[in-house]
Amino acid sequence: MQAIPKAEFEKRVEAFQRNIREAGLDAVLVHSNEADFANVRYLSEYWPTFESAGVFVPAKGAPVLIIGPESEAYAQGRSVIPRIAMMVEYRESADPEYPGIPVAHYADVVRMAMGHRVLKKLGLAGFSIMPLPVYLSLQRELPGVELVKADDTLTSLRTIKSANEIKLMKMAYQISEKAIDAILGEMAPGMTELQVIGIAQREIYKHGGEYEGHALYCFCGPGTKHAISRPTHNKIKRNEIIQLNIGARVGGYSSSVGVPCSIGKLAARKRRLVEFGLDAHLKTMELLRGGTPAAEVVREYEEFVEHRGFKGHMLYGPCHGIGMMEVERPWIESTSTYALQENMTFQVDTFFQDKDFGLRWENGVRITKTGVERLSQKYMKMVEL
Amino acid sequence: MQAIPKAEFEKRVEAFQRNIREAGLDAVLVHSNEADFANVRYLSEYWPTFESAGVFVPAKGAPVLIIGPESEAYAQGRSVIPRIAMMVEYRESADPEYPGIPVAHYADVVRMAMGHRVLKKLGLAGFSIMPLPVYLSLQRELPGVELVKADDTLTSLRTIKSANEIKLMKMAYQISEKAIDAILGEMAPGMTELQVIGIAQREIYKHGGEYEGHALYCFCGPGTKHAISRPTHNKIKRNEIIQLNIGARVGGYSSSVGVPCSIGKLAARKRRLVEFGLDAHLKTMELLRGGTPAAEVVREYEEFVEHRGFKGHMLYGPCHGIGMMEVERPWIESTSTYALQENMTFQVDTFFQDKDFGLRWENGVRITKTGVERLSQKYMKMVEL
C-alpha cells in the first residue's frame, strides 16, 4: 500500500536508459546517502542507512546496486534490483576496515553490468553529494574512462510525478496535517520547541509515516527569522509568533506543511505581515499552471509583493520542487529557463521576515493544465490559539 | 546546560592547529553535512541543515566557518567561530542558483584566514564525505596547492573525551533508557515497528534530546537478522524476538541502547542465543581497559565465542567508537593497531544471528585505567513482557 509497485521501478530504469543513450553515455553511476537518499531509491527502493549506495546503470542491460559491506541482508530484502555488489567506497564514514569481508571494485561492477561492452564515457548522477572515495576510485580503477556530470539524465525523470507518486505524496501531506492538529491541541507556554517536535514525531509514525520528510521546524519569537535553523530548548511564549514546518515521509515521498501561529494575540505589526504572507502564498498558487515559464512566476510574484509594499521583507521563495526529497529540483527562480508541466509538484514556500521575526507558509501543489491541485490546505489560515 | 562551553571550543581549535603544524600542513579544510555533522560541529557548534558546511583552519590564526547561501542568520546565531563565509559549493543538493546572493570563493576564504601567508599544502578532513563540488573547486581555484587526506589531525582529538563530553553522553544514554522504558510499557501485538519508533521519538524530545542519535531500530521476527535495516509497517507479534536499538542525541553527543526482547516466551533455541549474546556482551566489557591493544580485545572476544560454540553465529562486533556520531572512529577490529586509552568511549555492540533471527546488545562504556565505566546498563537483561 505504501510503496511504488515493482513494475514502475522497471519502467524508470528503461526511461533512464533511454536518457543515458540520448546523452551519448555508455553508463551512469548514481549516488545517494542516508539523508540524500532519493536517486538510488528512485531506481531500486533501497534506502542506504549508515552507509551510502550507488546504482550502476548501463545504456543497455541490467543495472547493479552498489552497497557498503554491512548491508547485504538488508539490500537483498529491499532492493528491486537483484544484482548487488558490496564496495568499501560505500562504507560508513567512520572508515571501518571489515577484515574478512570480500568487496568488489569498479571494474567488477562494470563487468557485471556490461559484460564485454566497452565503457568510454561514464555519467555521474548525484554529483553534488558524490564523495571523494568514489570519485578517486573511479579515476584509479577505470583509467581512460571519461567522467561527466549527468544529473539531468535522472532528475528529468523525477520531476514529472506518476499517479503512484502523487498518491504517496498526498498520504504524506495528510499525515503532516494530523501532526499539526496534535501540536495545536497540545502546545502550551513553557513547552520547549524540541518538545513540540516530539509531538510531531509521535504523530508521523503513529499514522503511517516512515520518517520525517525534512528537519522539522518549531521556532518561537526571534528564532522564526531564520530560513534554515534547528529547534532549541527555548520555551514557547504567549503572544509570540510560533513557526511550525512539519513534514512526514511515506514510501519515500516527502511533504511539509508550514503554518505561523501564536498562543494568544499577536501584535498588529506582526499579524499584518503574517496575513500578507498568506495573500502572497495564495497569489503564487494562482500564478502556477502548465505551460507557464517558471521565471515568469517569480517576476509576477515579486511584482505583487512590491506593489503591496513588502519587498523589503522578502528573502526567499516562491517555490521549489518537492517529491522524494522535501527540496528537490527544479526550483522556481528568476533565472529558471523551463516551463511548468502537468504533474510537476512544487512546495509553495512563502517566507517573509522583519527585524525581529519571520514567517513561512508552506503547502504542496501538483501542476495541472489549468492551474494547481493542492496537496494540503487545511492550515492555510492564521491560527491564534 | 546541554552544550559544550565556548572555551572548550577554543581549546579544540588550538589543539587541532598543533596537529596541523605537526603534520606539516599550512591549513586543513574540514567537511560535514546534516547527517555527518560531527567534524564541523566539534570546532564550531554549527550543525549544517539542508546544506553542508566546512571549517577552514589555518596552522596559525583564526578559522573561518563556511556555510551555504541560506544559512547566514542561523550560523551567526549558532557558530562559536565568528568569521563566516557563504559559498555555493555548500548549497542544498537540489542545486538552487540563488540569483542575487553574493558568495565567496576558496581564494577569499584563504585570504580571510591566512592573510598573505602562503598556502602550499592543504589537508582535507571528512575526506570520506567530501563531495565533488568542493574538491573540484579547490583544484580549480587553488592551483598548485597540494591536497592531502588529513582526517587523523582532527579525529585523534575527537577520540579522547573531555568531562563535558562524557556528561552530555551520559544524559543521552539516560534518555535512551527512558525511551525504552516507555516502549516496554506501551508496545503491544499488532503495533507496527514504525509505531514503536514513534514512541521512542516522542520520549527523546520530551526528555531533552535534540534529535535521534542514529536511525532508530525496531525489528520483529526475521527482520532482526539484518545488521543494518529500516523499521517497517510489519506488525509486532507475540513470541518473536523484537530488537530495539534506541539512541538519543544531546548537545551533539549520541547514544544507543540495544536490547532484544519479546512479548510472551521465546522458543528455547532463540532464548539460548539471546542469553549467550549477553554473556559475550559482558565478556567484552571485562576485556576493555586502558593500555590494552584493541586487536587483543577482538582476539580474546572471538576465542570466547568460539570456545562457547557460537562462532558460526558471529557477524559483527565487538565495539566501535561513539561520541558525536553514534558510530565514529576508532573501531575495535582484528586489524586495529592502537591501544585503548582512558576516556575513549566505545559502543559495545554485540550482534549474533541464526538462520531466521538475530539479536544485538548495545551499551556504551568509557575506558578507565582499570576497566570501564558503563554509560548505560539498565537494560542489560533479557526482557520477556
Side-chain angles (χ1 to χ4, degrees):
Chain A
M1 283 297 288
Q2 301 186 14
I4 298 293
K6 195 173 174 193
E8 189 158 324
F9 283 101
E10 289 162 1
K11 278 190 193 167
R12 290 172 175 182
V13 170
E14 286 167 20
F16 185 31
Q17 290 181 311
R18 280 193 296 276
N19 286 353
I20 293 170
R21 292 192 294 270
E22 273 173 28
L25 300 168
D26 300 313
V28 171
L29 177 66
V30 176
H31 192 80
S32 284
N33 58 42
E34 179 169 338
D36 239 312
F37 66 97
N39 280 335
V40 164
R41 191 162 174 186
Y42 184 80
L43 297 170
S44 70
E45 187 62 288
Y46 179 69
W47 176 7
T49 296
F50 290 96
E51 304 180 324
S52 61
V55 185
F56 186 93
V57 183
K60 285 184 184 181
V64 176
L65 175 70
I66 312 174
I67 61 170
E70 290 183 67
S71 295
E72 190 172 24
Y74 172 43
Q76 285 168 346
R78 176 157 196 148
S79 171
V80 300
I81 294 176
R83 294 203 290 181
I84 300 174
M86 280 197 293
M87 291 185 65
V88 77
E89 286 80 356
Y90 298 83
R91 68 182 167 181
E92 296 189 26
S93 65
D95 292 358
E97 292 177 349
Y98 304 112
I101 298 185
V103 289
H105 299 278
Y106 282 112
D108 305 317
V109 171
V110 172
R111 208 174 306 114
M112 281 172 79
M114 300 183 65
H116 293 292
R117 274 170 291 146
V118 175
L119 175 62
K120 284 186 180 167
K121 199 167 178 181
L122 176 64
L124 306 177
F127 191 85
S128 67
I129 58 161
M130 190 168 276
L132 285 184
V134 166
Y135 186 68
L136 298 177
S137 287
L138 286 172
Q139 288 189 321
R140 193 178 53 246
E141 296 175 11
L142 302 176
V145 173
E146 185 185 356
L147 304 175
V148 296
K149 186 175 176 180
D151 287 291
D152 290 345
T153 56
L154 185 54
T155 51
S156 60
L157 300 176
R158 283 178 47 202
T159 299
I160 308 294
K161 268 67 174 181
S162 72
N164 287 315
E165 292 181 292
I166 301 286
K167 191 173 142 196
L168 292 172
M169 289 179 74
K170 285 181 177 172
M171 289 171 68
Y173 275 101
Q174 279 169 15
I175 294 172
S176 300
E177 288 178 345
K178 284 181 185 166
I180 289 182
D181 290 346
I183 289 171
L184 296 180
E186 296 174 43
M187 186 167 62
M191 199 178 272
T192 69
E193 292 171 355
L194 282 160
Q195 285 170 334
V196 173
I197 298 301
I199 298 171
Q201 293 280 5
R202 178 194 76 199
E203 294 293 309
I204 287 171
Y205 289 98
K206 182 174 166 186
H207 296 294
E210 65 172 28
Y211 202 61
E212 59 184 20
H214 59 89
L216 304 184
Y217 282 6
C218 171
F219 308 134
C220 179
T224 56
K225 220 189 141 180
H226 299 182
I228 286 178
S229 190
R230 281 278 174 184
T232 69
H233 297 284
N234 292 345
K235 288 181 177 169
I236 301 289
K237 289 180 190 159
R238 283 185 194 281
N239 308 115
E240 280 275 28
I241 288 221
I242 304 162
Q243 178 63 45
L244 302 174
N245 296 73
I246 302 299
R249 196 193 290 159
V250 173
Y253 286 81
S254 296
S255 64
S256 184
V257 175
V259 57
C261 58
S262 63
I263 302 176
K265 293 270 178 212
L266 275 187
R269 171 179 65 96
K270 292 182 181 172
R271 194 181 163 101
R272 199 154 48 232
L273 192 57
V274 172
E275 286 174 342
F276 168 71
L278 183 54
D279 290 349
H281 193 62
L282 292 166
K283 177 69 184 178
T284 302
M285 291 194 186
E286 279 173 27
L287 296 171
L288 301 171
R289 75 176 56 80
T292 301
E296 192 178 306
V297 174
V298 182
R299 194 178 50 71
E300 291 197 33
Y301 173 77
E302 293 186 353
E303 267 179 29
F304 172 83
V305 173
E306 186 167 4
H307 177 73
R308 290 277 302 264
F310 289 90
K311 193 183 174 187
H313 298 283
M314 190 171 65
L315 173 72
Y316 182 97
C319 298
H320 55 75
I322 187 167
M324 300 188 78
M325 302 299 291
E326 192 263 333
V327 183
E328 65 179 36
R329 295 184 189 193
W331 287 55
I332 296 185
E333 296 182 291
S334 60
T335 48
S336 299
T337 56
Y338 66 95
L340 306 183
Q341 287 179 61
E342 196 178 3
N343 294 324
M344 285 182 165
T345 46
F346 289 99
Q347 185 73 351
V348 182
D349 181 350
T350 308
F351 185 65
F352 289 96
Q353 59 179 214
D354 204 343
K355 58 184 191 299
D356 54 352
F357 77 106
L359 64 102
R360 190 168 200 161
W361 295 97
E362 286 203 63
N363 296 89
V365 297
R366 176 178 76 84
I367 303 295
T368 68
K369 286 193 179 69
T370 55
V372 298
E373 177 191 13
R374 293 180 185 175
L375 302 177
S376 70
Q377 61 181 338
K378 183 168 181 183
Y379 285 107
M380 289 167 62
K381 62 189 173 197
M382 173 74 200
V383 179
E384 283 181 340
L385 295 175
Chain B
M1 282 296 288
Q2 302 185 15
I4 298 293
K6 193 172 174 195
E8 189 158 326
F9 283 102
E10 289 162 2
K11 279 190 193 167
R12 289 172 175 181
V13 170
E14 287 166 20
F16 184 31
Q17 290 181 312
R18 282 193 294 275
N19 286 353
I20 292 171
R21 292 191 294 270
E22 274 174 28
L25 300 168
D26 301 312
V28 171
L29 177 67
V30 177
H31 191 81
S32 282
N33 57 43
E34 179 169 339
D36 241 310
F37 65 98
N39 281 334
V40 164
R41 190 162 175 186
Y42 184 80
L43 297 170
S44 70
E45 188 60 290
Y46 179 68
W47 176 8
T49 295
F50 290 98
E51 304 180 324
S52 61
V55 185
F56 186 93
V57 183
K60 286 184 183 181
V64 175
L65 176 70
I66 313 174
I67 62 171
E70 289 184 67
S71 294
E72 191 173 22
Y74 172 44
Q76 285 168 346
R78 177 160 195 145
S79 172
V80 301
I81 295 177
R83 294 205 290 181
I84 300 174
M86 283 197 291
M87 291 186 63
V88 76
E89 287 79 356
Y90 298 83
R91 68 182 168 182
E92 297 189 26
S93 65
D95 291 358
E97 292 176 352
Y98 304 111
I101 298 184
V103 290
H105 298 279
Y106 281 112
D108 306 317
V109 171
V110 172
R111 209 174 306 116
M112 282 171 78
M114 301 183 66
H116 293 291
R117 274 170 289 145
V118 175
L119 175 62
K120 284 187 180 167
K121 199 167 176 182
L122 176 65
L124 305 177
F127 192 86
S128 67
I129 58 161
M130 189 168 276
L132 286 185
V134 167
Y135 185 68
L136 298 177
S137 288
L138 287 171
Q139 287 190 321
R140 193 178 53 246
E141 297 175 9
L142 302 176
V145 174
E146 185 184 356
L147 304 174
V148 297
K149 186 175 176 180
D151 287 292
D152 290 346
T153 56
L154 184 54
T155 51
S156 60
L157 300 175
R158 283 179 47 202
T159 300
I160 307 294
K161 267 67 175 183
S162 72
N164 286 315
E165 291 182 290
I166 300 286
K167 191 174 141 195
L168 292 172
M169 291 178 72
K170 283 181 178 172
M171 288 172 69
Y173 275 101
Q174 279 169 15
I175 294 173
S176 301
E177 288 178 347
K178 284 181 186 167
I180 289 181
D181 290 346
I183 290 171
L184 296 179
E186 296 174 43
M187 186 167 62
M191 198 177 274
T192 69
E193 292 172 356
L194 281 161
Q195 285 170 335
V196 173
I197 298 301
I199 299 170
Q201 293 280 5
R202 180 194 75 201
E203 295 293 310
I204 286 171
Y205 290 98
K206 182 174 166 185
H207 296 294
E210 64 171 29
Y211 202 62
E212 61 184 17
H214 60 87
L216 304 184
Y217 282 7
C218 172
F219 308 134
C220 178
T224 57
K225 220 188 141 180
H226 299 181
I228 286 179
S229 191
R230 281 278 172 183
T232 69
H233 296 286
N234 292 344
K235 288 181 177 168
I236 301 288
K237 290 180 189 158
R238 283 184 192 283
N239 308 116
E240 280 274 28
I241 288 221
I242 303 163
Q243 177 64 45
L244 301 173
N245 297 72
I246 302 298
R249 196 194 291 160
V250 174
Y253 286 81
S254 297
S255 64
S256 184
V257 175
V259 56
C261 60
S262 62
I263 301 176
K265 294 269 177 213
L266 275 186
R269 169 178 67 93
K270 293 182 180 173
R271 193 181 163 100
R272 200 153 48 231
L273 191 57
V274 172
E275 287 174 341
F276 169 71
L278 184 54
D279 290 349
H281 192 62
L282 292 165
K283 177 70 183 175
T284 302
M285 293 195 185
E286 280 173 27
L287 296 170
L288 301 171
R289 74 175 57 79
T292 302
E296 192 177 308
V297 175
V298 182
R299 195 179 49 72
E300 291 195 35
Y301 173 77
E302 292 186 352
E303 267 180 30
F304 172 83
V305 173
E306 184 166 7
H307 178 74
R308 290 277 301 265
F310 289 91
K311 192 183 174 187
H313 298 282
M314 190 171 63
L315 172 71
Y316 183 97
C319 296
H320 55 75
I322 186 167
M324 300 190 77
M325 302 298 293
E326 192 263 332
V327 184
E328 65 179 36
R329 297 182 184 191
W331 286 55
I332 297 184
E333 297 183 291
S334 61
T335 48
S336 299
T337 55
Y338 67 96
L340 306 184
Q341 288 179 61
E342 197 179 3
N343 294 325
M344 284 183 167
T345 45
F346 289 99
Q347 185 74 349
V348 183
D349 181 350
T350 308
F351 185 65
F352 289 97
Q353 59 177 208
D354 205 343
K355 60 184 190 297
D356 54 353
F357 77 105
L359 63 103
R360 191 168 200 160
W361 295 97
E362 285 202 64
N363 296 90
V365 297
R366 177 178 75 86
I367 303 295
T368 68
K369 287 194 178 71
T370 56
V372 297
E373 178 192 12
R374 293 179 186 176
L375 303 178
S376 70
Q377 59 181 338
K378 183 169 181 182
Y379 284 108
M380 289 168 61
K381 61 190 174 197
M382 172 74 199
V383 178
E384 284 180 341
L385 296 174

